Amino acid sequence: MTDQTSRQGFSTRAIHAGQEPDPRTGAVVPAIYQTSTYKQDGVGGFREGYEYSRSANPTRTALEECIADLESGARGFAFASGLAGEDAIMRGLLGPGDHMVVPTDAYGGTYRLVAKVQQRWGVDHSLAKVSQPDAIRGEIRPGVTKMIWLETPTNPLLGIADIAAIAEIAHEAGALLVVDNTFASPYLQQPIALGADIVVHSTTKYVGGHSDVVGGAVVVAPQIAVPEYADAAERIAFHQNSMGGVAGPMDSWLTLRGLKTLAVRMERHCDNAERVVEFLRSRSDVTHVNYPGLDSHPGHDVAAKQMRRFGGMVSFQVEGGEQRALDIVGSTKLWILGESLGGVESLIEHPGRMTHASVAGTELEVPSDLIRLSVGIEDVDDLVADLEQAMG
Ligand SMILES: *Cc1c(COP(=O)(O)O)cnc(C)c1O
């Protein structure tokens, strides 16, 4: 994938977009505007539109402009969490009687929001595998389906969706395509350039990248393909201000600081993941490795077409069933046993008992001998040695 030639490169924009040196002091880094309110020059005389920090805050604006630029969108919005951003998309744009199609292996919190919150307010949903465009098409209810939700790669099985193909299916049906780009990050994949209308991130993960802040971002495309939703950005802005789940100034600042190094971090995450995959494939007690960079991965060709590289998330299955998988995740010393992903430190977890415990017994259930890795940016020899030690 190449950047558009008329624009500066990704890292240049990550470091500079929305982040001009302060005109008054020359400060190179955007300030943390830890303020709730702003002095007005006479009643209604707002300086640069700042009135109250739920509605807008300059530190948040810097982050919103930067992430919108990196995703090639028209407008960005920063939220207190990824789920607050998802809520703004779903409740800002859908209403009673509407229907959405969501992935069978959606992030658990996304599924909970759809099944337990949206459903109660009269928004129905169907599930389809993201790797099967025809299955998604089959779940569309003409005139009623207003949104197709994708994650790619998916969590924790690393399924791949063909964003461009599914954008066409969505738009033919008059539905919006929303892509959760958390696993790839804007460095590896840009859904808007592939036809998506809206991109959402848990910036808690790769965008922030240091496991020190929870946040979310929504980016709206310059052109919305569904006329009914031409004002999608205004509706999301309205919802953001009305519900108030905004990113605070300190959290915005931390996220923006992380974003500056996204490209170099992602390259190292990818290098390390490739080495870890090679190690896992060399072991006879590993029965299956999920990584879109492998030729044998069913989504490999699509991933190669739409991603710059294949990311830092890996999952695998082991001989010995659930107990062995639990023993391994409990025996690493360097890999930290924990949920979340996308930080500089490597994490290991057992999806069946941890991140995906709540979907046991549903269509979203994951294999009990599955282990998920978020490969960090430590020295990869140390990461491989620790896995070897833990696997015995
Ligand atoms: C973590 C995550 C979310 C939710 O984000 P929060 O910041 O935890 O609210 C959504 N989608 C994916 C793919 C995630 O990994």
Side-chain angles (χ1 to χ4, degrees):
M1 199 171 71
T2 52
D3 288 322
Q4 294 166 36
T5 49
S6 59
R7 308 175 68 201
Q8 291 178 310
F10 185 90
S11 286
T12 305
R13 291 183 282 122
I15 292 165
H16 295 288
Q19 303 165 78
E20 288 298 309
D22 180 58
R24 195 169 64 84
T25 62
V28 166
V29 174
I32 304 166
Y33 283 90
Q34 197 72 48
T35 187
S36 59
T37 191
Y38 305 83
K39 177 183 187 293
Q40 300 183 14
D41 297 322
V43 174
F46 309 131
R47 298 184 193 176
E48 298 184 36
Y50 294 106
E51 172 189 1
Y52 182 65
S53 281
R54 174 169 25 77
S55 311
N57 173 281
T59 318
R60 194 174 97 217
T61 303
L63 171 61
E64 291 176 332
E65 288 182 0
C66 187
I67 195 143
D69 189 298
L70 295 180
E71 285 285 6
S72 305
R75 273 187 80 180
F77 303 93
F79 290 89
S81 69
L83 285 175
E86 295 189 15
D87 176 74
I89 297 169
M90 293 181 199
R91 287 203 293 151
L93 301 177
L94 301 176
D98 291 341
H99 171 257
M100 60 191 293
V101 181
V102 296
T104 47
D105 50 355
Y107 174 72
T110 303
Y111 181 69
R112 182 176 54 204
L113 186 59
V114 168
K116 302 268 169 73
V117 181
Q118 284 288 93
Q119 189 79 43
R120 277 204 299 133
W121 293 95
V123 177
D124 203 3
H125 68 277
S126 309
L127 297 173
K129 268 200 155 165
V130 296
S131 56
Q132 296 174 358
D134 288 337
I136 292 173
R137 194 196 309 269
E139 293 301 334
I140 288 176
R141 302 179 190 166
V144 180
T145 302
K146 294 294 169 66
M147 190 175 283
I148 294 178
W149 193 280
L150 285 186
E151 256 177 64
T152 182
T154 61
N155 177 24
L157 294 170
L158 287 309
I160 297 291
D162 186 333
I163 297 173
I166 297 166
E168 244 173 70
I169 292 170
H171 296 156
E172 263 169 33
L176 293 167
L177 179 65
V178 178
V179 177
D180 180 336
N181 204 24
T182 299
F183 265 44
S185 89
Y187 178 67
L188 296 180
Q189 171 173 282
Q190 291 174 7
I192 288 173
L194 296 162
D197 301 286
I198 298 172
V199 171
V200 60
H201 281 280
S202 169
T203 56
T204 313
K205 315 295 168 55
Y206 287 106
V207 168
H210 295 74
S211 307
D212 54 8
V213 60
V214 171
V218 173
V219 178
V220 180
Q223 292 292 329
I224 299 289
V226 182
E228 186 186 340
Y229 290 108
D231 62 348
E234 287 73 32
R235 290 168 70 173
I236 288 168
F238 180 81
H239 194 87
Q240 185 192 38
N241 188 42
S242 303
M243 299 304 289
V246 297
M250 185 68 202
D251 288 359
S252 297
W253 188 89
L254 281 168
T255 304
L256 192 57
R257 185 169 72 160
L259 194 48
K260 287 173 201 274
T261 56
L262 181 65
V264 289
R265 285 188 286 108
M266 289 315 295
E267 289 290 347
R268 176 72 168 245
H269 282 295
C270 293
D271 289 345
N272 285 1
E274 285 171 12
R275 270 285 307 282
V276 166
V277 164
E278 203 179 292
F279 161 74
L280 292 171
R281 296 238 299 169
S282 74
R283 296 212 33 139
S284 56
D285 58 345
V286 172
T287 54
H288 192 72
V289 180
N290 299 304
Y291 188 63
L294 291 171
D295 286 342
S296 56
H297 187 289
H300 176 71
D301 291 344
V302 173
K305 189 179 65 174
Q306 71 189 14
M307 297 176 78
R308 196 194 291 260
R309 291 184 71 183
F310 303 102
M313 297 302 296
V314 178
S315 63
F316 65 102
Q317 288 171 261
V318 286
E319 271 174 7
E322 179 172 55
Q323 193 50 53
R324 173 117 194 285
L326 290 169
D327 288 345
I328 293 170
V329 303
S331 308
T332 54
K333 299 197 168 86
L334 180 56
W335 296 78
I336 298 168
L337 178 63
E339 304 194 355
S340 198
L341 59 110
V344 292
E345 57 290 292
S346 292
L347 299 175
I348 191 166
E349 68 121 358
H350 184 270
R353 290 283 191 94
M354 294 169 63
T355 49
H356 290 66
S358 66
V359 294
T362 74
E363 281 183 70
L364 290 87
E365 184 168 310
V366 295
S368 63
D369 57 0
L370 186 77
I371 294 173
R372 188 186 81 176
L373 303 175
S374 172
V375 183
I377 67 171
E378 300 96 332
D379 290 288
V380 71
D381 290 344
D382 297 331
L383 294 176
V384 169
D386 189 38
L387 279 180
E388 200 157 25
Q389 149 310 102
M391 292 172 80

